Every structure is written in C-alpha cells, then in structure tokens.
Amino acid sequence: MVEVKKIRAEELFDLKQEIPLVDVRTPDEYRRGHIPGAVQIPLFDNNERALIGKVYAHNGSDAAVLLGMEIVGPRLKNYIEKAREISPERKIILYCWRGGMRSGSLAWLFSAAGMQCYVVEGGYKAYRRYVLEKFHTPLKLIVLGGETGAGKSEILRMLAAKGEQILDLEALACHKGSAFGAIGQPGQPTQEQFENNLFEAFRTLKPDKPVWIENESIAIGKLFIPRSLFDQMEKAPLVCISRPFTERLERLVREYAITDHETLTAVFRGLIRRLGSEKCQQAITAVHEGKYEEAAEIALHYYDKVYLRQLDKKQQQIIKTFYIDNTLNFNFQDLITLGKGLIFSN
C-alpha cells in the first residue's frame, strides 16, 4: 500500500497543475461550488448522502458507517477504474467537505490499488477559508471607468493582449453588469463558484505591478464581488474612457438586439420604476416595431444619468479621461504608461 500524503490548501494550487484533482462529494455539493479543475468521483449520490445523514442523526455514527460501507462495497472496483482513467500516471489529489471520511476512504482504496494519493487537509471547507482570506491581499488596482457602451471590456481584453495584468469580472460572472447584462451570456455560476473562479485569476497576479479592472457596482447580475476586493476597487485610481453617444448607441444595438422581443421587453419592464411608465412603454413599443436604436437610446439616456451621479462621487479618484471614437487609433501605450506611472508614484 502506498502512503497517503496530506497537503494544506495553499499547497494545492501548484500541485493540481500536474496531478488530477478529484472531488468526492455529492453532485449537488459539486454544483454549488468546487475547486476549479476538479473532476468528480462521488462516493455517494445526493440521495445516499441524505440517507446516511438521517441514519447518523437517529442511530449514531456506527450505523451510518455501516450503511455507507453497504452502499459503496459493490462499487469499489468502479472507483478504482475511474481513478485510473482520470490519472494513468496513478497520482491523484482528493478532497471532500472537511478532508475526513469520504476522501480518506477513497484515498485508502486507491493507495491499496497502487496509486499515490494526496488528501487536502480540511477539505473544501479549508480551501474556501483560504480563498476568502487571500482576497484581502493588496493589489495595485487601476479602475477602468466610462459610460455604458464605451467599450471598457474590449479595452480590458486588449490590455491583456499587450501583456498587462487584468481582472475581467464580467467575463468571470458571465454577465455584463447592467439590466441587459445577461443577454448573450451563459448562465451565471453560483456565488461560491464565481469566487473560486475569480481566485484562480486573482492568485496569478503580481502584487507589485498594475492590475486593470473594470468599474463595477458590488453586484454583477445575481453575483457579488468579494467585499475585500470591492473595497480596494473603491479606493483605487480611476481612468475613464469616453466615446461619442452615437457610437455607444451603435455598440449597444449590436450587443443586445441579438435576442428576442420577449427578453428585451421583460428587461425594460424591470426598469419601469427607473425609466418611468411612459418611457418604458415607448421602449417596449420600439422593440416590437424593430426600432432597436430608439429603444437603446431611451436606455442609454438613463444609464448616462446613473453614470454621472456615480462619477460625481469619485471625482478625487479620477486621474485622466481618454476621449476616443471609431475614427481614431487609440494609443494603448499612453494608457499603459499612465498605469505604470500611477503605480510607481504610490
């Protein structure tokens, strides 16, 4: 039998780049949140786990253990075959909720079958605690602001292509931030999974170099930016991007007129208290008549007012505004140089 090795949560990240990571919890637990890159070999399914919990509550741990053994006994061979399929090199990292019986049981089985097993001490619970604590790590953030439709996300991605560090919160949240932000996006992850995925990007950032991040409210769709990271964003220098209204209008039509009338109508109805019933009905009528630019203009006037109110609260953080349009070749080097200057001056 090969010795089972225990690893701390902070040791996991480099190791999982080389060795397959396996989540042995139930499918429901995995869906709520898992370590990115982990595949599943669930020891129990959702119903089995619930049943064992009831037996534990009413009859104690011995009865629960015996029931668990009865359930998994016929499947031991399948577990080994699955593990070898996942890791032909016969090395594997396992975790359960608290690094206890579930991961320990499979680690014993796999090590008996000749596999080198690593078990995450404290399991997923320890990993989550580590992730949330690390979001307090100070970064040299520079916030990229601008009106709706100014192309901030596009500029962020172009900065990344030029070697700059970025955190693309909207891409990780699968949402563009506004009431229309879910259009054209896959479903949002759970809050836990968003934080886990965000940390995968966060942990690779060098804290002594600029990190560009888009200006956001704390909520992106149904998800929330971790408070410790959001507090850093609120205090960071702000660089604004400004485009002509007509160009932003064209961009919004391209991005959001790709969906059906019913979806756009539902979004506008959700804005009725903000737009007012008259403007809301005008926008809905325009949508159904295929006059997308007219509908977008109503929304854009509203979002511009919101942006100006928010900007008024951050006047002291604004470092510079870049005025660009589609006819100009935006000089990214000016933006990059400005960012480096901001970091080195602090």
Side-chain angles (χ1 to χ4, degrees):
M1 180 180 291
V2 181
E3 180 187 1
V4 175
K5 298 181 179 180
K6 291 189 175 183
I7 59 170
R8 299 187 306 276
E10 55 265 38
E11 298 176 281
L12 167 68
F13 300 98
D14 289 336
L15 201 60
K16 76 185 181 77
Q17 304 303 316
E18 302 174 0
I19 301 174
L21 176 65
V22 173
D23 186 321
V24 308
R25 300 173 304 150
T26 65
D28 276 354
E29 289 174 293
Y30 183 87
R31 277 191 289 271
R32 281 195 296 271
H34 58 269
I35 302 173
V39 296
Q40 269 216 293
I41 302 181
L43 188 62
F44 304 113
D45 65 25
N46 301 323
N47 294 330
E48 290 166 348
R49 177 69 173 159
L51 178 60
I52 289 171
K54 288 180 181 178
V55 170
Y56 178 86
H58 292 95
N59 304 105
S61 61
D62 288 348
V65 168
L66 288 174
L67 175 59
M69 292 175 66
E70 181 182 341
I71 291 171
V72 305
R75 302 198 294 238
L76 297 183
K77 179 184 176 183
N78 292 337
Y79 293 143
I80 293 172
E81 289 174 345
K82 183 65 174 176
R84 287 177 174 174
E85 178 186 328
I86 291 170
S87 181
E89 294 80 12
R90 301 198 176 186
K91 292 183 179 181
I92 204 163
I93 308 168
L94 302 168
Y95 72 91
C96 59
W97 169 235
R98 288 184 296 189
M101 189 168 290
R102 283 185 286 177
S103 57
S105 298
L106 281 183
W108 173 86
L109 176 65
F110 295 155
S111 65
M115 299 188 74
Q116 176 63 68
C117 295
Y118 301 82
V119 173
V120 180
E121 281 189 294
Y124 181 71
K125 186 176 182 181
Y127 160 82
R128 284 285 298 164
R129 184 168 57 248
Y130 177 79
V131 165
L132 296 177
E133 287 173 356
K134 293 300 285 185
F135 279 129
H136 289 86
T137 304
L139 295 176
K140 302 289 188 180
L141 294 180
I142 303 173
V143 177
L144 196 63
E147 309 111 321
T148 299
K152 300 181 291 295
S153 296
E154 182 182 352
I155 291 172
L156 203 65
R157 290 190 292 270
M158 293 178 79
L159 284 168
K162 293 181 179 295
E164 293 298 294
Q165 296 190 126
I166 72 164
L167 268 181
D168 194 340
L169 296 173
E170 293 185 358
L172 290 163
C174 300
H175 199 282
K176 295 181 180 178
S178 73
F180 297 86
I183 294 173
Q185 300 293 306
Q188 289 193 276
T190 64
Q191 179 66 33
E192 269 188 32
Q193 196 58 47
F194 168 62
E195 291 165 355
N196 295 348
N197 295 342
L198 173 59
F199 185 69
E200 284 296 299
F202 186 96
R203 71 182 184 86
T204 65
L205 300 172
K206 296 178 181 177
D208 59 339
K209 293 187 177 181
V211 178
W212 295 88
I213 191 167
E214 190 170 340
N215 194 28
E216 305 282 357
S217 62
I218 195 167
I220 306 178
K222 67 178 182 181
L223 303 177
F224 293 87
I225 301 168
R227 170 56 70 174
S228 51
L229 175 59
F230 185 72
D231 287 345
Q232 290 194 58
M233 294 169 61
E234 289 288 272
K235 299 172 185 176
L238 179 64
V239 176
C240 296
I241 304 296
S242 182
R243 284 182 187 265
F245 184 89
T246 54
E247 291 181 10
R248 293 189 288 116
L249 192 60
E250 290 172 5
R251 179 182 291 270
L252 290 186
V253 172
R254 287 198 306 272
E255 289 186 5
Y256 298 122
I258 59 173
T259 193
D260 56 83
H261 291 176
E262 289 71 21
T263 298
L264 289 171
T265 296
V267 175
F268 274 111
R269 282 181 178 152
L271 291 171
I272 190 168
R273 292 180 62 184
R274 301 173 185 179
L275 296 177
S277 57
E278 183 179 350
K279 288 291 184 183
C280 182
Q281 188 54 55
Q282 286 177 6
I284 291 171
T285 299
V287 165
H288 284 276
E289 291 177 354
K291 299 176 181 177
Y292 300 115
E293 188 170 305
E294 182 179 324
E297 185 170 355
I298 292 170
L300 197 54
H301 279 303
Y302 161 72
Y303 280 113
D304 279 358
K305 290 178 183 177
V306 172
Y307 171 72
L308 289 174
R309 286 200 299 270
Q310 293 173 341
L311 200 64
D312 191 53
K313 298 176 183 177
K314 294 188 174 184
Q315 288 299 316
Q316 292 183 339
Q317 293 167 248
I318 299 173
I319 304 301
K320 186 172 182 178
T321 298
F322 286 83
Y323 296 91
I324 60 175
D325 62 53
N326 290 341
T327 64
L328 294 179
N329 181 20
F330 180 53
N331 190 338
F332 276 90
Q333 192 55 50
D334 288 349
L335 192 59
I336 292 169
T337 300
L338 174 65
K340 290 179 178 176
L342 288 173
I343 297 308
F344 291 138
S345 65
N346 290 337

